Amino acid sequence: MTAYVIAVLRPTLPVHADVLEYIERVQGTFEPYGGRFLSHGKPGEWMEGERLGDVVVAEFPDLAHAHDWYASPAYQEILPLRADHIPGELVFVEGVPADYDASRTATAMREVRVVRR
């Protein structure tokens, strides 16, 4: 099942030289794990809640590939270049199948009685 790596980052100006090096090198760390950027550093249109930062979304074939990428020596080597200069959050999330129907999720939740009234 496709997995997504989503980061919300709060860069500061001026941009640190380490961050530029990270950006130059990060895509190369994706390639052995089938990863690719879907969105990179866009401010996003925050429809609800307050703007938290710039959004980065990457896609991997599955969670195992995403975890292997994150733990890889190549990524761990460059991670401090970003993390030391840009605060933010990073989450891995598994996608849903093409035939996903949210109403089935609601039905399953009702069956285990997780609905509050």
Side-chain angles (χ1 to χ4, degrees), residues 53-100:
D54 294 347
V55 179
V56 176
V57 181
E59 176 185 63
F60 287 86
D62 52 40
L63 280 174
H65 280 82
H67 283 281
D68 289 346
W69 159 74
Y70 189 82
S72 71
Y75 187 67
Q76 288 299 305
E77 179 182 325
I78 67 168
L79 176 58
L81 298 173
R82 178 196 50 81
D84 288 351
H85 304 287
I86 300 179
E89 291 75 31
L90 183 75
V91 62
F92 290 14
V93 62
E94 190 172 46
V96 296
D99 66 345
Y100 178 77

Coordinates of all heavy atoms in Angstrom, one line a residue, residues 53-100:
G53 N 3.1 25.9 8.8 CA 4.4 26.0 8.1 C 4.3 25.6 6.7 O 3.2 25.5 6.1
D54 N 5.4 25.3 6.0 CA 5.4 24.9 4.6 C 5.3 23.3 4.6 O 5.8 22.6 5.5 CB 6.8 25.3 4.0 CG 6.9 26.8 3.8 OD1 5.9 27.5 4.0 OD2 8.0 27.2 3.5
V55 N 4.6 22.8 3.6 CA 4.3 21.4 3.5 C 5.2 20.7 2.5 O 5.4 21.2 1.4 CB 2.8 21.3 3.1 CG1 2.4 19.8 3.0 CG2 1.9 22.0 4.2
V56 N 5.7 19.5 2.9 CA 6.4 18.7 2.0 C 5.7 17.3 2.0 O 5.4 16.8 3.1 CB 7.9 18.5 2.4 CG1 8.6 17.5 1.5 CG2 8.6 19.8 2.5
V57 N 5.4 16.8 0.8 CA 4.8 15.4 0.8 C 5.6 14.6 -0.2 O 5.9 15.0 -1.3 CB 3.3 15.5 0.2 CG1 2.7 14.1 0.2 CG2 2.5 16.5 1.1
A58 N 6.0 13.4 0.3 CA 6.7 12.4 -0.5 C 5.9 11.1 -0.5 O 5.2 10.8 0.4 CB 8.1 12.2 0.0
E59 N 6.1 10.4 -1.6 CA 5.4 9.1 -1.8 C 6.4 8.0 -1.9 O 7.4 8.2 -2.5 CB 4.5 9.2 -3.1 CG 3.8 7.9 -3.4 CD 3.1 8.1 -4.8 OE1 3.9 8.3 -5.8 OE2 1.9 8.0 -4.8
F60 N 6.1 6.9 -1.2 CA 6.9 5.7 -1.3 C 6.0 4.5 -1.6 O 4.8 4.6 -1.3 CB 7.6 5.5 0.0 CG 8.8 6.4 0.3 CD1 8.5 7.7 0.8 CD2 10.1 6.1 -0.1 CE1 9.6 8.6 1.0 CE2 11.1 7.0 0.1 CZ 10.8 8.2 0.7
P61 N 6.5 3.4 -2.1 CA 5.7 2.3 -2.5 C 4.9 1.7 -1.3 O 3.8 1.2 -1.5 CB 6.7 1.2 -3.0 CG 7.9 2.0 -3.5 CD 7.9 3.2 -2.5
D62 N 5.5 1.8 -0.1 CA 4.8 1.3 1.1 C 5.6 1.8 2.3 O 6.6 2.5 2.2 CB 4.8 -0.3 1.1 CG 6.1 -0.9 0.9 OD1 7.1 -0.4 1.5 OD2 6.2 -1.9 0.2
L63 N 5.0 1.5 3.5 CA 5.6 2.0 4.8 C 7.0 1.5 5.0 O 7.9 2.2 5.5 CB 4.7 1.7 6.0 CG 3.5 2.6 6.2 CD1 2.7 2.1 7.3 CD2 4.0 4.0 6.5
A64 N 7.2 0.2 4.6 CA 8.6 -0.4 4.8 C 9.6 0.4 4.0 O 10.7 0.7 4.5 CB 8.5 -1.8 4.3
H65 N 9.3 0.8 2.7 CA 10.2 1.6 2.0 C 10.5 2.9 2.6 O 11.6 3.4 2.6 CB 9.7 1.7 0.5 CG 10.0 0.6 -0.3 ND1 9.2 -0.5 -0.4 CD2 11.0 0.3 -1.2 CE1 9.6 -1.4 -1.2 NE2 10.7 -0.9 -1.8
A66 N 9.4 3.6 3.1 CA 9.6 4.9 3.8 C 10.5 4.8 5.0 O 11.3 5.6 5.2 CB 8.2 5.4 4.1
H67 N 10.2 3.7 5.8 CA 11.0 3.5 7.0 C 12.5 3.2 6.6 O 13.4 3.7 7.3 CB 10.5 2.4 7.9 CG 9.3 2.9 8.7 ND1 9.4 3.6 9.8 CD2 8.0 2.7 8.5 CE1 8.2 3.9 10.3 NE2 7.3 3.3 9.5
D68 N 12.7 2.4 5.6 CA 14.0 2.1 5.2 C 14.8 3.3 4.7 O 16.0 3.5 4.9 CB 14.0 1.0 4.1 CG 13.6 -0.4 4.6 OD1 13.6 -0.5 5.8 OD2 13.3 -1.2 3.8
W69 N 14.0 4.2 3.9 CA 14.6 5.5 3.5 C 15.1 6.3 4.7 O 16.2 6.8 4.7 CB 13.6 6.2 2.6 CG 14.0 7.7 2.5 CD1 15.0 8.3 1.8 CD2 13.4 8.8 3.3 NE1 15.0 9.6 2.1 CE2 14.0 9.9 2.9 CE3 12.3 8.8 4.1 CZ2 13.7 11.2 3.5 CZ3 11.9 10.0 4.7 CH2 12.6 11.2 4.3
Y70 N 14.2 6.5 5.6 CA 14.5 7.4 6.8 C 15.7 6.8 7.6 O 16.5 7.6 8.0 CB 13.2 7.5 7.7 CG 13.4 8.5 8.7 CD1 13.2 9.9 8.4 CD2 13.8 8.2 10.0 CE1 13.4 10.9 9.4 CE2 14.0 9.2 11.0 CZ 13.8 10.5 10.7 OH 13.9 11.5 11.6
A71 N 15.7 5.5 7.7 CA 16.8 4.9 8.5 C 18.1 4.8 7.7 O 19.2 4.4 8.3 CB 16.4 3.6 9.0
S72 N 18.1 5.0 6.4 CA 19.2 4.8 5.5 C 20.4 5.6 5.9 O 20.3 6.8 6.4 CB 18.9 5.0 4.1 OG 18.7 6.4 3.8
P73 N 21.6 5.1 5.8 CA 22.8 5.9 6.1 C 22.8 7.2 5.3 O 23.2 8.3 5.8 CB 24.0 5.0 5.7 CG 23.4 3.6 5.9 CD 22.0 3.7 5.5
A74 N 22.4 7.2 4.0 CA 22.5 8.4 3.2 C 21.5 9.5 3.7 O 21.9 10.6 3.8 CB 22.1 8.0 1.7
Y75 N 20.3 9.1 4.2 CA 19.4 10.1 4.7 C 19.9 10.6 6.1 O 19.9 11.7 6.4 CB 18.0 9.7 4.7 CG 17.1 10.8 5.1 CD1 17.0 11.9 4.3 CD2 16.5 10.8 6.4 CE1 16.2 13.0 4.7 CE2 15.7 11.9 6.8 CZ 15.6 13.0 5.9 OH 14.8 14.1 6.3
Q76 N 20.3 9.6 6.9 CA 20.7 10.0 8.3 C 21.9 10.9 8.2 O 22.1 11.8 9.1 CB 21.0 8.8 9.1 CG 19.8 8.0 9.5 CD 18.8 8.8 10.4 OE1 19.2 9.4 11.4 NE2 17.6 9.0 9.9
E77 N 22.8 10.8 7.2 CA 23.9 11.7 7.1 C 23.5 13.1 6.8 O 24.1 14.1 7.3 CB 24.8 11.2 5.9 CG 26.0 12.1 5.7 CD 26.8 11.6 4.5 OE1 26.9 10.4 4.2 OE2 27.4 12.4 3.8
I78 N 22.4 13.3 6.0 CA 22.0 14.7 5.7 C 20.9 15.3 6.6 O 20.7 16.5 6.6 CB 21.6 14.9 4.2 CG1 20.3 14.1 3.9 CG2 22.8 14.5 3.3 CD1 19.7 14.4 2.6
L79 N 20.2 14.4 7.4 CA 19.1 14.9 8.2 C 19.5 16.0 9.1 O 18.7 17.0 9.2 CB 18.6 13.7 9.0 CG 17.5 14.0 10.0 CD1 16.3 14.6 9.3 CD2 17.1 12.7 10.8
P80 N 20.6 16.0 9.8 CA 21.0 17.2 10.6 C 21.1 18.5 9.9 O 20.9 19.6 10.5 CB 22.3 16.8 11.3 CG 22.4 15.3 11.2 CD 21.6 15.0 9.9
L81 N 21.4 18.5 8.6 CA 21.5 19.7 7.8 C 20.2 20.5 7.8 O 20.2 21.7 7.8 CB 21.9 19.4 6.4 CG 23.3 18.7 6.2 CD1 23.5 18.3 4.7 CD2 24.4 19.6 6.7
R82 N 19.1 19.7 7.8 CA 17.7 20.3 7.9 C 17.3 20.5 9.3 O 16.9 21.6 9.8 CB 16.7 19.6 7.1 CG 15.3 20.2 7.3 CD 14.2 19.3 6.9 NE 14.1 18.0 7.4 CZ 13.7 17.7 8.6 NH1 13.3 18.6 9.5 NH2 13.7 16.4 9.0
A83 N 17.3 19.4 10.1 CA 16.7 19.4 11.4 C 17.4 20.3 12.4 O 16.7 20.9 13.3 CB 16.8 17.9 12.0
D84 N 18.6 20.6 12.2 CA 19.3 21.6 13.1 C 18.9 23.0 12.8 O 19.3 23.9 13.6 CB 20.8 21.4 12.9 CG 21.4 20.2 13.6 OD1 20.6 19.5 14.2 OD2 22.6 19.9 13.4
H85 N 18.3 23.3 11.7 CA 18.0 24.7 11.3 C 16.5 24.9 11.0 O 16.1 26.1 10.9 CB 18.8 25.0 10.0 CG 20.3 24.8 10.3 ND1 21.0 25.7 11.1 CD2 21.1 23.9 9.8 CE1 22.3 25.2 11.1 NE2 22.4 24.1 10.4
I86 N 15.7 23.9 10.8 CA 14.3 24.1 10.5 C 13.4 23.2 11.4 O 13.4 22.0 11.3 CB 14.0 23.8 9.0 CG1 14.8 24.6 8.1 CG2 12.5 23.9 8.8 CD1 14.5 24.3 6.6
P87 N 12.7 23.8 12.3 CA 11.8 23.0 13.2 C 10.6 22.6 12.4 O 10.2 23.2 11.4 CB 11.4 24.0 14.3 CG 11.6 25.4 13.7 CD 12.7 25.3 12.7
G88 N 10.0 21.5 12.8 CA 8.9 21.0 12.1 C 8.4 19.6 12.6 O 9.0 19.1 13.6
E89 N 7.5 19.1 11.9 CA 6.9 17.8 12.3 C 7.0 16.9 11.0 O 7.0 17.4 9.9 CB 5.4 17.9 12.7 CG 5.2 18.5 14.0 CD 5.4 20.1 14.0 OE1 5.1 20.7 12.9 OE2 5.8 20.6 15.0
L90 N 7.2 15.6 11.2 CA 7.2 14.6 10.2 C 6.4 13.4 10.5 O 6.5 12.9 11.7 CB 8.7 14.2 10.0 CG 9.0 13.2 8.8 CD1 8.9 13.9 7.5 CD2 10.3 12.5 9.0
V91 N 5.5 13.0 9.6 CA 4.6 11.9 9.9 C 4.7 10.9 8.7 O 4.8 11.4 7.5 CB 3.2 12.4 10.2 CG1 2.6 13.1 9.0 CG2 2.3 11.2 10.6
F92 N 4.6 9.7 8.9 CA 4.4 8.6 7.9 C 3.0 8.2 8.0 O 2.5 7.9 9.1 CB 5.3 7.4 8.1 CG 6.8 7.7 7.9 CD1 7.3 8.9 7.9 CD2 7.6 6.6 7.9 CE1 8.7 9.1 7.7 CE2 9.0 6.8 7.7 CZ 9.5 8.0 7.6
V93 N 2.3 8.1 6.8 CA 0.9 7.6 6.8 C 0.7 6.7 5.6 O 1.2 7.0 4.5 CB -0.1 8.8 6.8 CG1 0.1 9.6 5.6 CG2 -1.5 8.3 7.0
E94 N 0.0 5.6 5.9 CA -0.3 4.7 4.8 C -1.5 5.2 4.0 O -2.5 5.7 4.6 CB -0.6 3.3 5.4 CG -0.7 2.2 4.4 CD -0.7 0.8 5.0 OE1 -1.5 0.6 6.0 OE2 0.0 -0.1 4.5
G95 N -1.5 5.0 2.7 CA -2.6 5.4 1.9 C -3.7 4.4 2.0 O -3.7 3.4 2.8
V96 N -4.8 4.6 1.3 CA -5.9 3.7 1.2 C -6.0 3.1 -0.2 O -5.5 3.7 -1.1 CB -7.2 4.5 1.6 CG1 -7.2 5.0 3.0 CG2 -7.5 5.6 0.6
P97 N -6.7 1.9 -0.3 CA -6.8 1.3 -1.6 C -7.7 2.2 -2.5 O -8.5 3.0 -2.1 CB -7.4 0.0 -1.3 CG -8.0 0.0 0.1 CD -7.3 1.1 0.8
A98 N -7.6 1.9 -3.8 CA -8.3 2.7 -4.8 C -9.8 2.6 -4.6 O -10.6 3.5 -4.9 CB -8.0 2.2 -6.2
D99 N -10.3 1.4 -4.0 CA -11.7 1.2 -3.8 C -12.2 1.7 -2.4 O -13.3 1.3 -2.0 CB -12.1 -0.2 -4.1 CG -11.5 -1.2 -3.1 OD1 -10.5 -0.8 -2.4 OD2 -11.9 -2.3 -3.1
Y100 N -11.4 2.4 -1.7 CA -11.7 2.8 -0.4 C -13.0 3.6 -0.3 O -13.3 4.5 -1.2 CB -10.6 3.7 0.2 CG -10.9 4.2 1.6 CD1 -10.8 3.4 2.7 CD2 -11.4 5.5 1.8 CE1 -11.1 3.8 4.0 CE2 -11.7 6.0 3.1 CZ -11.5 5.1 4.2 OH -11.8 5.6 5.4

